[in-house]
Amino acid sequence: MSNREKYFGIVPPLMTPLLDHDRLDRVSYRKMVDNVIDAGVHGIFPMASSGESVHNAYHVWKEANQLAVEAADGRVPVYCGAIAPSTAQVIENMRYLESIGAKAAVATPPFYTSNLLQSEIIRHFEAILERTNINLCIYNMPGLTGGIDIAPATIAALACHERVVMYKDSCPNLDHHLRTLKMLEDKDISVLCGGEELCCTSMLFGSQGNISGLAVSFPRLFVEAYNAAMAGDLKRTVELQYKILELKNINHAGPSDFSMMKYALVSVGIGTETNCYHTEPATSAQKAEVDRIAEKFKEYQ
């Protein structure tokens, strides 16, 4: 079975519900996992960017990844976030994930670095692969890694490694994304577009699925979009893409995507609105706008 047949579909990046800044809300976390799996998603991604992965206390990062593996209980694949600014830290994270039975980990290129070379991106992932044993999902997220963007030729080279099984491309540039899809069409690697903007467009052009932050609160909308795209129902897929763009207004309701997405989860009845220490909390007006949008999309929760 090819990687495209194994790793596909809608994979919500999980929020990290907190009881306070340093304490995981385990009850809400399990409820969140059960809710998205019951909605028909194809995998889950704990400690993703929208889960405030690098902002949480390390013990919260460890606990959330372990709880995600336990709560999923083999029902869907779990792609555990190993995101860290250096190669050495990613290796340490992945070794921890191996110890809790994780089968796949997600990592970005190094960050907190200016003018990172494409050759250094390759060196980074090759070092990780040489020193760890579980499968690797490579994550391109230039918006949160200081503008570091994985070139299509770079991921094509890395895709030749047998344990590089999936690529999450969160570059919001359609030209870049389509060139990446073309470059990888004969490689044994699954490609999932990150973010709402190109969700359906990407799937219609050949990607295997989508990883969007709002899918954790409105999973049925994204599952329906995936099913329409895979069925070749162009009219319905386009309709659903526009619905997803309307839903994306949740992120625009306030200055912090983290606050808005976490409150969206609260708005559908899961967790608390407690963010990491530095994150700007949502105001009453911003929460009211998120509630208004959430109510409009209630059928997709």
Side-chain angles (χ1 to χ4, degrees):
M1 183 181 292
S2 71
N3 286 323
R4 295 186 183 198
E5 294 172 305
K6 293 179 185 176
Y7 310 106
F8 62 89
I10 300 302
V11 180
L14 303 180
M15 298 292 115
T16 308
L18 298 169
L19 296 173
D20 56 47
H21 294 299
D22 295 321
R23 191 156 55 104
L24 184 67
D25 181 349
R26 294 179 63 87
V27 173
S28 293
Y29 203 94
R30 284 186 175 273
K31 183 178 179 180
M32 172 182 59
V33 171
D34 287 340
N35 185 64
V36 295
I37 293 176
D38 289 346
V41 304
H42 308 88
I44 56 173
F45 177 9
M47 279 296 150
S49 300
S50 54
E52 303 168 287
S53 54
V54 298
H55 298 151
N56 275 288
Y58 189 55
H59 71 86
V60 171
W61 175 87
K62 292 166 68 175
E63 186 179 5
N65 271 312
Q66 183 169 19
L67 184 55
V69 172
E70 292 173 1
D73 194 25
R75 291 177 288 173
V76 296
V78 181
Y79 308 97
C80 291
I83 301 164
S86 77
T87 309
Q89 289 169 310
V90 173
I91 291 168
E92 289 181 348
N93 286 349
M94 286 184 62
R95 287 175 174 167
Y96 168 75
L97 295 174
E98 290 175 14
S99 76
I100 62 170
K103 304 300 182 186
V106 184
T108 68
F111 48 95
Y112 205 69
T113 302
S114 61
N115 301 318
L116 189 73
L117 302 174
Q118 294 296 307
S119 60
E120 292 176 314
I121 294 174
I122 291 174
R123 289 169 63 87
H124 166 73
F125 287 114
E126 285 181 342
I128 291 167
L129 289 161
E130 287 171 5
R131 292 163 176 80
T132 60
N133 298 299
I134 60 176
N135 288 335
L136 178 64
C137 308
I138 293 177
Y139 182 8
N140 187 36
M141 185 55 164
L144 293 180
T145 55
I148 297 163
D149 197 358
I150 301 175
T154 299
I155 186 60
L158 290 165
C160 295
H161 196 289
E162 63 180 358
R163 285 192 6 255
V164 175
V165 299
M166 192 170 84
Y167 181 51
K168 181 190 177 188
D169 186 13
S170 292
C171 176
N173 181 297
L174 181 58
D175 176 78
H176 179 284
H177 185 65
L178 294 181
R179 290 178 185 277
T180 298
L181 288 175
K182 181 65 177 175
M183 188 75 75
L184 295 176
E185 65 181 358
D186 63 345
K187 305 291 185 183
D188 185 22
I189 185 171
S190 178
V191 181
L192 277 71
C193 181
E196 293 81 6
E197 297 87 346
L198 301 180
C199 174
C200 296
T201 305
S202 172
M203 291 188 289
L204 288 172
F205 275 86
S207 75
Q208 283 66 59
N210 179 260
I211 303 175
S212 291
L214 290 171
V216 74
S217 300
F218 305 90
R220 287 173 173 81
L221 175 58
F222 291 84
V223 170
E224 186 174 340
Y226 172 80
N227 290 337
M230 293 304 106
D233 187 343
L234 180 59
K235 183 176 184 294
R236 185 58 178 158
T237 306
V238 171
E239 289 173 352
L240 291 166
Q241 176 65 79
Y242 281 115
K243 281 182 177 287
I244 289 169
L245 288 178
E246 183 181 359
L247 181 67
K248 180 74 172 179
N249 287 328
I250 283 175
N251 293 61
H252 306 317
S256 169
D257 283 1
F258 294 121
S259 290
M260 297 305 102
M261 287 191 291
K262 181 162 279 188
Y263 184 73
L265 190 65
V266 173
S267 188
V268 303
I270 301 174
T272 73
E273 57 188 278
T274 302
N275 294 100
C276 293
Y277 284 103
H278 73 280
T279 306
E280 186 75 17
T283 66
S284 296
Q286 291 163 357
K287 288 188 280 189
E289 176 61 8
V290 172
D291 287 335
R292 183 192 69 79
I293 298 169
E295 179 63 26
K296 189 171 182 178
F297 285 85
K298 190 172 183 178
E299 66 182 293
Y300 295 112
Q301 296 173 9

